[in-house]
Amino acid sequence: MPNIEKNITSVERRLQQAAREADRNPDDILLLAVSKTQTSAQVRLAIDAGLGSFGENYLEEAIRKIEQLKGRSINWHFIGSLQSNKTKQAAENFSWVHTVDRLKIAKRLSDQRPTQLGPLNICLQINIDDEPSKSGFSPQEALEAAVSIATMPNLRLRGLMAIPKPSASKAEQRQPFAQLRALQDQINGMLDNSQKLDTLSMGMSGDLEPAIHEGATIVRVGTDIFGPRH
Ligand SMILES: *Cc1c(COP(=O)(O)O)cnc(C)c1O
């Protein structure tokens, strides 16, 4: 049984250290605990250790946990691949969706978001290494999609998310993160002041430091908090 509390302390230290080295305020970086395949009891331990934001990939599993943990104050983030027949569940149960990869998904989330919950925070998933096997907008597609998604009534377009392919070297790890940040700057140049993106969801257990160096505002960490997945 991994010691979740100790793991969190160690990940938080890494986050703070990387922020210091990058001359950034660690408070500007959210540690999102990725709890897919982990139990509600483990999520509870992470809450008791001070975390409040959790990421889930599979809707049925997530909704079960959301139900079990009702009453605790948690921000749930959906970070899995989202099929169009599941958008309603995502729109009703989460405060963030990081993995919007098509205009159609954005439109459905906006249509299906219950207005009393306020706008759903979303990120566009970017296929930053142009991998045929991965979903996500190409950078060019994202430029066009962002302008139209930014006006959808029940969404708040917050930023970009990517899962780069594994890099051969430490030096190469930073490159896709830098590209994502450059794309964010480019998109911001096209948006109105009230619509500017403020979120870069990038970096996981193995590469949170290079992501923070390149401007990550949300790092998504599973294994280094909860141990190996079931
Ligand atoms: C599972 C997952 C993570 C967490 O990965 P770890 O390497 O376990 O930290 C982060 N982001 C996404 C999109 C994931 O699916």
Side-chain angles (χ1 to χ4, degrees), residues 34 36 57 79 161 163 203-206 220-224 229:
V34 176
K36 62 170 177 246
N57 293 59
I79 62 169
M161 177 271 203
I163 313 168
M204 323 200 293
S205 292
R220 310 178 309 264
V221 179
T223 310
D224 284 359
R229 282 184 272 281

Side-chain angles (χ1 to χ4, degrees), residues 2 26 36 78-80 87 127 155 159 162 167 174 190 197 206 215 222:
K36 62 170 177 246
F78 188 74
I79 62 169
T87 49
N127 189 354
L155 302 183
S167 297
R174 278 171 70 160
M190 299 171 52
L197 308 185

Side-chain angles (χ1 to χ4, degrees), residues 106-128:
K107 174 91 173 58
R108 290 177 65 91
L109 287 171
S110 182
D111 289 346
Q112 294 167 334
R113 177 69 169 176
T115 48
Q116 73 272 17
L117 294 181
L120 177 66
N121 296 294
I122 64 157
C123 293
L124 305 186
Q125 182 172 356
I126 309 298
N127 189 354
I128 199 71

Side-chain angles (χ1 to χ4, degrees), residues 118-177:
L120 177 66
N121 296 294
I122 64 157
C123 293
L124 305 186
Q125 182 172 356
I126 309 298
N127 189 354
I128 199 71
D129 294 310
D130 196 20
E131 294 172 272
S133 64
K134 252 185 211 149
S135 49
F137 291 99
S138 73
Q140 187 55 44
E141 291 166 342
L143 279 168
E144 290 157 27
V147 172
S148 106
I149 292 174
T151 64
M152 292 184 182
N154 299 313
L155 302 183
R156 173 81 180 92
L157 177 59
R158 297 293 300 270
L160 308 179
M161 177 271 203
I163 313 168
K165 64 179 181 213
S167 297
S169 70
K170 280 260 176 256
E172 282 169 38
Q173 268 186 329
R174 278 171 70 160
Q175 196 188 338
F177 298 134

Side-chain angles (χ1 to χ4, degrees), residues 7-224:
N7 290 350
I8 290 172
T9 304
S10 130
V11 170
E12 280 172 339
R13 280 211 193 101
R14 284 171 60 195
L15 187 157
Q16 284 155 11
Q17 173 75 23
R20 249 197 314 277
E21 285 172 11
D23 249 330
R24 299 185 52 201
N25 183 347
D27 296 342
D28 294 339
I29 304 160
L30 173 70
L31 175 56
L32 178 67
V34 176
S35 47
K36 62 170 177 246
T37 80
Q38 312 293 353
T39 64
S40 301
Q42 287 170 297
V43 173
R44 243 179 239 117
L45 291 175
I47 297 170
D48 293 342
L51 298 190
S53 297
F54 293 84
E56 288 282 340
N57 293 59
Y58 310 104
L59 274 167
E60 279 79 26
E61 177 195 335
I63 287 165
R64 196 168 62 239
K65 277 179 232 176
I66 291 170
E67 204 48 48
Q68 287 166 346
L69 293 163
K70 241 188 198 148
R72 309 295 299 252
S73 142
I74 299 175
N75 281 315
W76 290 102
H77 294 229
F78 188 74
I79 62 169
S81 85
L82 188 53
Q83 286 149 359
S84 55
N85 62 346
K86 301 274 178 68
T87 49
K88 186 162 187 283
Q89 285 171 297
E92 289 175 350
N93 288 284
F94 288 82
S95 41
W96 284 73
V97 172
H98 292 226
T99 42
V100 173
D101 61 355
R102 279 165 289 158
L103 210 49
K104 178 184 170 190
I105 296 286
K107 174 91 173 58
R108 290 177 65 91
L109 287 171
S110 182
D111 289 346
Q112 294 167 334
R113 177 69 169 176
T115 48
Q116 73 272 17
L117 294 181
L120 177 66
N121 296 294
I122 64 157
C123 293
L124 305 186
Q125 182 172 356
I126 309 298
N127 189 354
I128 199 71
D129 294 310
D130 196 20
E131 294 172 272
S133 64
K134 252 185 211 149
S135 49
F137 291 99
S138 73
Q140 187 55 44
E141 291 166 342
L143 279 168
E144 290 157 27
V147 172
S148 106
I149 292 174
T151 64
M152 292 184 182
N154 299 313
L155 302 183
R156 173 81 180 92
L157 177 59
R158 297 293 300 270
L160 308 179
M161 177 271 203
I163 313 168
K165 64 179 181 213
S167 297
S169 70
K170 280 260 176 256
E172 282 169 38
Q173 268 186 329
R174 278 171 70 160
Q175 196 188 338
F177 298 134
Q179 285 172 264
L180 198 69
R181 184 173 60 169
L183 178 61
Q184 187 190 45
D185 290 344
Q186 213 181 338
I187 291 173
N188 274 340
M190 299 171 52
L191 297 176
D192 292 343
N193 273 337
S194 64
Q195 299 174 328
K196 301 282 188 216
L197 308 185
D198 62 6
T199 299
L200 286 170
S201 168
M202 57 189 198
M204 323 200 293
S205 292
D207 56 10
L208 70 93
E209 287 90 351
I212 287 171
H213 274 275
E214 294 299 341
T217 61
I218 302 182
V219 291
R220 310 178 309 264
V221 179
T223 310
D224 284 359

